[in-house]
């Protein structure tokens, strides 16, 4: 398993560098990368919000990628898993917090796991990842 930072190919707008993961022999069934969400991301978070994750990714071979949103509220921990809908090199996963049991008054921290299912003998480049928090539309 190798992790390195590479310059983003020309023609792709966004950050100058991305994360390249190369997996060779791998005994596990999945690989997980964890990103802590900043305190500002959970400040004022309510069940009326949704969180979206956008990925710009290049894959040597097709691979299933999941996003797991973890929210700790008091002694409890809520996990929501969504598979990325990847079209070309753009992926998107959304979490609607209205369907969770999160206690809004006890939010402590949140983090996102990127889960790569069966990553053996593959190269994956994450050129950009954006997390978006927004209120749900009132209908």
């Amino acid at each position: 398993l190798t992790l390195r930072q590479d310059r983003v190919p020309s023609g792709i707008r966004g950050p100058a560098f991305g994360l390249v993961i190369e997996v060779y022999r791998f005994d596990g069934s999945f690989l997980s990368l964890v990103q802590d969400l900043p305190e500002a991301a959970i400040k004022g978070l309510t069940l009326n919000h949704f969180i979206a994750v956008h990925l710009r990714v290049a894959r040597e071979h097709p691979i299933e990628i999941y996003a797991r949103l973890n929210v700790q509220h008091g002694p409890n921990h809520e996990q929501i898993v969504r598979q990325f809908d990847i079209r070309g090199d753009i992926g998107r996963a959304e979490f609607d917090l209205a369907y969770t049991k999160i206690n809004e008054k006890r939010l402590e921290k949140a983090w996102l796991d990127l889960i790569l299912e069966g990553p053996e003998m593959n190269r994956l480049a994450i050129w950009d990842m954006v997390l978006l928090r927004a209120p749900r539309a009132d209908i």
Side-chain angles (χ1 to χ4, degrees):
L1 174 70
T2 64
L3 295 172
R4 73 175 181 275
Q5 192 176 30
D6 273 359
R7 184 167 292 281
V8 174
S10 62
I12 296 178
R13 293 181 8 178
F17 292 91
L19 177 66
V20 176
I21 305 158
E22 292 179 328
V23 182
Y24 301 103
R25 183 173 175 267
F26 191 77
D27 292 332
S29 60
F30 68 92
L31 175 65
S32 177
L33 303 169
V34 179
Q35 174 64 55
D36 289 328
L37 273 62
E39 189 174 321
I42 62 170
K43 185 177 182 181
L45 190 67
T46 68
L47 297 178
N48 194 42
H49 283 94
F50 74 92
I51 295 176
V53 184
H54 299 262
L55 271 184
R56 180 175 295 272
V57 61
R59 302 167 293 171
E60 190 174 55
H61 304 289
I63 183 173
E64 292 181 1
I65 304 175
Y66 297 88
R68 179 171 57 202
L69 179 66
N70 302 276
V71 180
Q72 184 175 345
H73 52 108
N76 300 316
H77 175 232
E78 185 84 16
Q79 293 184 333
I80 312 164
V81 179
R82 298 287 180 264
Q83 184 174 1
F84 274 95
D85 178 22
I86 301 176
R87 297 170 192 222
D89 64 348
I90 303 292
R92 180 181 174 98
E94 292 184 350
F95 306 95
D96 190 344
L97 300 183
Y99 301 104
T100 67
K101 297 176 183 171
I102 294 172
N103 184 340
E104 301 168 345
K105 296 177 181 157
R106 299 191 73 187
L107 293 176
E108 293 180 16
K109 66 180 181 176
W111 64 97
L112 182 78
D113 296 324
L114 283 180
I115 301 168
L116 311 175
E117 188 78 27
E120 188 172 58
M121 298 306 292
N122 209 343
R123 178 183 184 274
L124 181 88
I126 301 172
W127 298 128
D128 196 11
M129 182 173 82
V130 176
L131 275 82
L132 166 76
R133 177 187 111 167
R136 297 172 75 228
D138 291 329
I139 297 177

